[in-house]
């Protein structure tokens, strides 16, 4: 995966303020401010070249660790209002969305829906494309199994930001299940390409 060059905003519905903010991006300024992880907040992180470890932290919390950053997100079932200090990973509430099961014995399926608020400002891309602290990040997580046994996790997500976006920004990212952890390679945050 190659990081787009500064100013490359193709497919992102930035408004004029978002475009100007992206054009003013300076990685040296982020480094000097200790903000080299701004591209690793939840809305940007999920678009990066990541590997994930997903586990249950407790009965009501899924822990999602990534080797890109490295970062950890907590997906909370029974989360209350988004309170507390803002962070790059924000506060994420989770719920199971179950479909099917129309009759006795009918198959049931579904997905995990998460909503993240309480974010610190960050970048949608590592090239300075901004999102604000008013961002709402909604995700649907679906598992797909192929006939050959391969499994994919599809993360369909929507970024809504009234400050920098003129419309919601939606993408679908596909992750393939790896059978071992030999490729896990935690790399530190980096403000540069």
């Amino acid at each position: 995966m190659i990081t787009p060059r500064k100013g490359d905003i193709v497919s992102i519905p930035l408004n004029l303020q978002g475009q100007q903010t992206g054009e003013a991006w300076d990685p040296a300024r982020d480094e000097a401010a200790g903000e080299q992880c701004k591209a690793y907040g939840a809305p940007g992180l999920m678009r990066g070249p990541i590997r994930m470890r997903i586990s249950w932290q407790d009965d009501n919390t899924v822990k999602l660790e990534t080797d890109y950053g490295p970062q950890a997100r907590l997906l909370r079932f029974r989360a209350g209002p988004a309170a507390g200090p803002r962070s790059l990973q924000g506060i994420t509430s989770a719920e199971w969305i179950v479909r099917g099961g129309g009759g006795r014995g009918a198959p049931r399926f579904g997905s995990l829906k998460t909503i993240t608020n309480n974010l610190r400002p960050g970048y949608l891309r590592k090239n300075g494309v901004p999102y604000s602290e008013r961002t709402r990040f909604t995700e649907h997580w679906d598992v797909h199994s192929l006939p050959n046994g391969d499994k994919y996790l599809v993360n369909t997500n929507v970024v809504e930001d009234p400050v920098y976006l003129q419309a919601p920004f939606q993408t679908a990212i596909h992750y393939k299940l790896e059978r071992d952890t030999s490729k896990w390679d935690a790399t530190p945050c980096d403000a540069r390409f």
Side-chain angles (χ1 to χ4, degrees):
M1 178 177 246
I2 297 172
T3 302
R5 71 187 189 316
K6 180 178 176 177
D8 184 348
I9 61 167
V10 174
S11 79
I12 301 176
L14 289 174
N15 60 25
L16 183 58
Q17 183 180 359
Q19 291 173 27
Q20 291 170 338
T21 302
E23 287 292 332
W25 172 69
D26 179 0
R29 185 176 56 227
D30 286 345
E31 290 170 342
E35 292 284 348
Q36 53 271 43
C37 289
K38 283 181 81 170
Y40 300 82
L45 179 69
M46 299 312 296
R47 290 174 177 77
I50 65 172
R51 285 194 164 73
M52 292 184 279
R53 283 191 252 192
I54 301 172
S55 60
W56 286 95
Q57 177 171 295
D58 58 44
D59 289 345
N60 296 310
T61 309
V62 171
K63 185 175 185 179
L64 187 150
E65 298 172 274
T66 69
D67 65 351
Y68 186 60
Q71 300 293 313
R73 293 181 63 198
L74 299 177
L75 315 180
R76 297 176 177 96
F77 293 85
R78 297 197 176 24
R86 293 184 181 280
S87 70
L88 288 173
Q89 302 312 317
I91 295 177
T92 303
S93 61
E95 68 176 309
W96 296 109
I97 307 295
V98 179
R99 296 181 286 280
R104 184 177 219 162
R108 294 177 55 171
F109 58 94
S111 65
L112 176 65
K113 177 182 179 183
T114 59
I115 298 175
T116 303
N117 293 296
N118 213 43
L119 290 158
R120 282 184 35 217
Y123 302 132
L124 293 172
R125 287 187 177 163
K126 203 167 175 185
N127 66 346
V129 174
Y131 66 85
S132 76
E133 67 181 22
R134 293 179 55 198
T135 294
R136 176 183 167 109
F137 185 48
T138 304
E139 300 165 280
H140 290 270
W141 307 76
D142 297 284
V143 175
H144 298 275
S145 298
L146 300 182
N148 68 358
D150 287 348
K151 289 190 178 193
Y152 286 86
L153 176 64
V154 179
N155 175 284
T156 304
N157 58 65
V158 179
V159 178
E160 298 169 278
D161 181 2
V163 176
Y164 294 125
L165 297 177
Q166 58 185 328
F169 176 45
Q170 181 172 332
T171 57
I173 312 296
H174 300 70
Y175 303 97
K176 184 178 181 182
L177 176 66
E178 294 178 344
R179 303 290 178 194
D180 65 61
T181 60
S182 63
K183 294 180 183 175
W184 184 267
D185 182 26
T187 57
C189 293
D190 182 0
R192 302 201 180 253
F193 296 88

